[in-house]
Amino acid sequence: MGAREPNFHLIWAIHCERYASEGHGLAGPPDRDFAERTLRAIADFLEERDCRCYFHPVPDMARAQKDLFLELRARGFGIGMHFHCESWRDGAYGKPLGLWPESEQRRILRDAVLDYEAGLGFRPTSFSAGHFSLPANAYDILSELGIRQSSSCLP
């Protein structure tokens, strides 16, 4: 029996930001059509190679393009959640998540997950924080909210 080749696993998480006109200073795609064309092109490219990725829309984008994300999920792609406090809802949270006290992080993350769930009809289990701004204590909060994986830290 020959030596077994080691497995190599790679996870792509595609951040899906709000439209530039709604991003409160954080630039995303210029408009809905551009966003949809780009996300479909990424999905098609990966499918042609028998690969998948996680698309991580921010809660506002999850709601705005619900049909697209549900279609991608049905095609076998993971749909997680990306999050920037400063571009969420009306932009009232003007600093990254990691700069808020733990009690505020808990409330913000809970409400953001509820917004996401209201938009897509399910809770995320994968999460990526904007700016990789996620202090160690926030992993416990995410776990309590049902998040099972995160790409929120730099190696």
Side-chain angles (χ1 to χ4, degrees), residues 93-109:
Y93 298 92
K95 57 187 177 184
L97 182 66
L99 298 179
W100 291 93
E102 183 176 348
S103 61
E104 282 297 298
Q105 289 175 25
R106 184 174 300 282
R107 187 185 59 72
I108 289 167
L109 286 169

Side-chain angles (χ1 to χ4, degrees), residues 60-82:
D60 302 283
M61 183 62 85
R63 182 180 58 251
Q65 293 198 285
K66 173 183 180 176
D67 293 341
L68 173 63
F69 290 113
L70 293 179
E71 173 197 320
L72 292 170
R73 187 179 192 210
R75 288 169 60 180
F77 292 91
I79 307 297
M81 183 175 124
H82 183 51

Side-chain angles (χ1 to χ4, degrees), residues 4-154:
R4 182 178 172 171
E5 291 291 321
N7 290 329
F8 177 75
H9 300 276
L10 178 66
I11 297 175
W12 289 299
I14 310 297
H15 296 173
C16 309
E17 308 287 356
R18 288 182 81 169
Y19 311 126
S21 62
E22 301 172 3
H24 306 287
L26 293 176
D31 57 46
R32 179 187 185 98
D33 291 337
F34 183 89
E36 186 167 338
R37 280 193 323 272
T38 301
L39 296 178
R40 285 185 188 284
I42 291 168
D44 293 346
F45 176 85
L46 291 172
E47 271 184 333
E48 289 168 5
R49 289 151 181 83
D50 197 26
C51 295
R52 297 295 184 274
C53 70
Y54 267 86
F55 290 99
H56 280 193
V58 295
D60 302 283
M61 183 62 85
R63 182 180 58 251
Q65 293 198 285
K66 173 183 180 176
D67 293 341
L68 173 63
F69 290 113
L70 293 179
E71 173 197 320
L72 292 170
R73 187 179 192 210
R75 288 169 60 180
F77 292 91
I79 307 297
M81 183 175 124
H82 183 51
F83 187 66
H84 289 276
C85 285
E86 56 274 46
S87 69
W88 178 47
R89 292 182 174 170
D90 63 359
Y93 298 92
K95 57 187 177 184
L97 182 66
L99 298 179
W100 291 93
E102 183 176 348
S103 61
E104 282 297 298
Q105 289 175 25
R106 184 174 300 282
R107 187 185 59 72
I108 289 167
L109 286 169
R110 181 199 66 224
D111 290 351
V113 166
L114 290 173
D115 282 5
Y116 176 100
E117 183 177 22
L120 287 177
F122 61 90
R123 283 186 167 222
T125 58
S126 180
F127 180 86
S128 55
H131 315 294
F132 297 99
S133 178
L134 196 65
N137 65 288
Y139 288 97
D140 290 336
I141 298 168
L142 291 173
S143 181
E144 292 166 13
L145 293 169
I147 303 295
R148 298 293 169 249
Q149 68 180 16
S150 177
S151 59
S152 297
C153 65
L154 294 172

